[in-house]
């Protein structure tokens, strides 16, 4: 191995260590999500091939949809970051990745359900209890968030009074 190869390996290891430190507990579920997204795509291509419905346009749309899932995960992680930042500003330590994890788990369950549907389209057997279990788990993830108001609530108190101009 050359010096350049060692520098590349060291740089990659440092980058991955920093990423894992920054992302904390959510990195493993995100990696699982990427894996099941790939498996779903492959089983979807197989199902389309078997049914003589293979289309490059449909395949591209599928890839773009998977990329939008990753964007959704990024948005959820930003929400977690904002919650933690606001908590820190208020003097409360909130070190959770709750929204990000829920989104990732929900997407994993959706991908697993889609894989089972693809296997059925191919003609493979799918135990009914597995599909039922995944549907149940997805419902539990959806129920785990507290009920949020339909409209934002106005903060109360003098500190939160509405400004009427830039000079206020």
């Amino acid at each position: 191995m050359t010096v350049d190869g060692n520098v590349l390996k060291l740089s990659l290891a440092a980058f991955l260590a920093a990423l894992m430190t920054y992302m904390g507990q959510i990195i493993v579920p995100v990696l699982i999500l990427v894996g099941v997204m790939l498996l779903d795509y492959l089983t979807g291509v197989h199902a389309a091939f078997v049914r003589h419905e293979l289309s490059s346009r449909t395949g591209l749309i599928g890839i773009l949809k998977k990329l939008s899932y990753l964007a959704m995960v990024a948005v959820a992680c930003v929400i977690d970051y904002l919650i933690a930042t606001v908590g820190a500003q208020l003097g409360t330590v909130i070190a959770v990745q709750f929204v990000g994890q829920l989104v990732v788990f929900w997407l994993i369950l959706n991908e697993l359900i889609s894989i089972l549907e693809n296997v059925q389209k191919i003609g493979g057997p799918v135990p009914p209890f597995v599909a039922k279990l995944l549907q149940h788990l997805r419902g539990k993830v959806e129920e785990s968030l507290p009920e949020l108001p339909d409209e934002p609530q106005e903060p109360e108190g003098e500190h939160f009074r509405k400004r009427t101009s830039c000079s206020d």
Side-chain angles (χ1 to χ4, degrees), residues 91-151:
T92 304
V93 176
I94 304 173
V96 296
Q97 295 170 329
F98 184 69
V99 178
Q101 285 182 348
L102 281 179
V103 168
V104 170
F105 293 154
W106 189 83
L107 287 170
I108 289 171
L109 291 168
N110 272 338
E111 292 297 302
L112 292 173
I113 291 167
S114 180
I115 291 167
L116 293 180
E117 291 169 352
N118 291 336
V119 169
Q120 284 179 326
K121 289 176 186 175
I122 294 166
V126 175
F129 68 89
V130 175
K132 197 178 236 183
L133 176 65
L134 290 175
Q135 294 283 357
H136 177 74
L137 289 173
R138 184 173 63 180
K140 288 296 183 188
V141 169
E142 291 171 357
E143 292 171 7
S144 65
L145 275 177
E147 189 68 32
L148 299 174
D150 290 335
E151 295 184 22

Side-chain angles (χ1 to χ4, degrees), residues 50-89:
V50 167
R51 297 171 73 168
H52 305 286
E53 298 172 351
L54 201 55
S55 160
S56 57
R57 177 175 165 70
T58 304
L60 179 62
I61 290 170
I63 290 170
L64 294 174
K65 188 167 84 169
K66 305 289 185 205
L67 291 175
S68 70
Y69 290 173
L70 295 176
M72 190 174 10
V73 170
V75 167
C77 290
V78 169
I79 291 170
D80 284 334
Y81 172 78
L82 292 174
I83 291 170
T85 302
V86 168
Q89 293 295 321

Side-chain angles (χ1 to χ4, degrees), residues 6-73:
N6 287 336
V7 170
L8 180 65
K9 281 184 177 180
L10 181 61
S11 299
L12 181 62
F15 172 75
L16 291 175
L19 183 66
M20 290 189 71
T21 300
Y22 180 72
M23 291 190 69
Q25 297 174 354
I26 202 167
I27 189 71
V28 172
V30 167
L31 292 174
I32 291 170
L33 174 62
V34 169
V36 295
M37 285 183 354
L38 180 61
L39 189 57
D40 178 49
Y41 184 79
L42 293 173
T43 58
V45 169
H46 185 194
F49 179 77
V50 167
R51 297 171 73 168
H52 305 286
E53 298 172 351
L54 201 55
S55 160
S56 57
R57 177 175 165 70
T58 304
L60 179 62
I61 290 170
I63 290 170
L64 294 174
K65 188 167 84 169
K66 305 289 185 205
L67 291 175
S68 70
Y69 290 173
L70 295 176
M72 190 174 10
V73 170

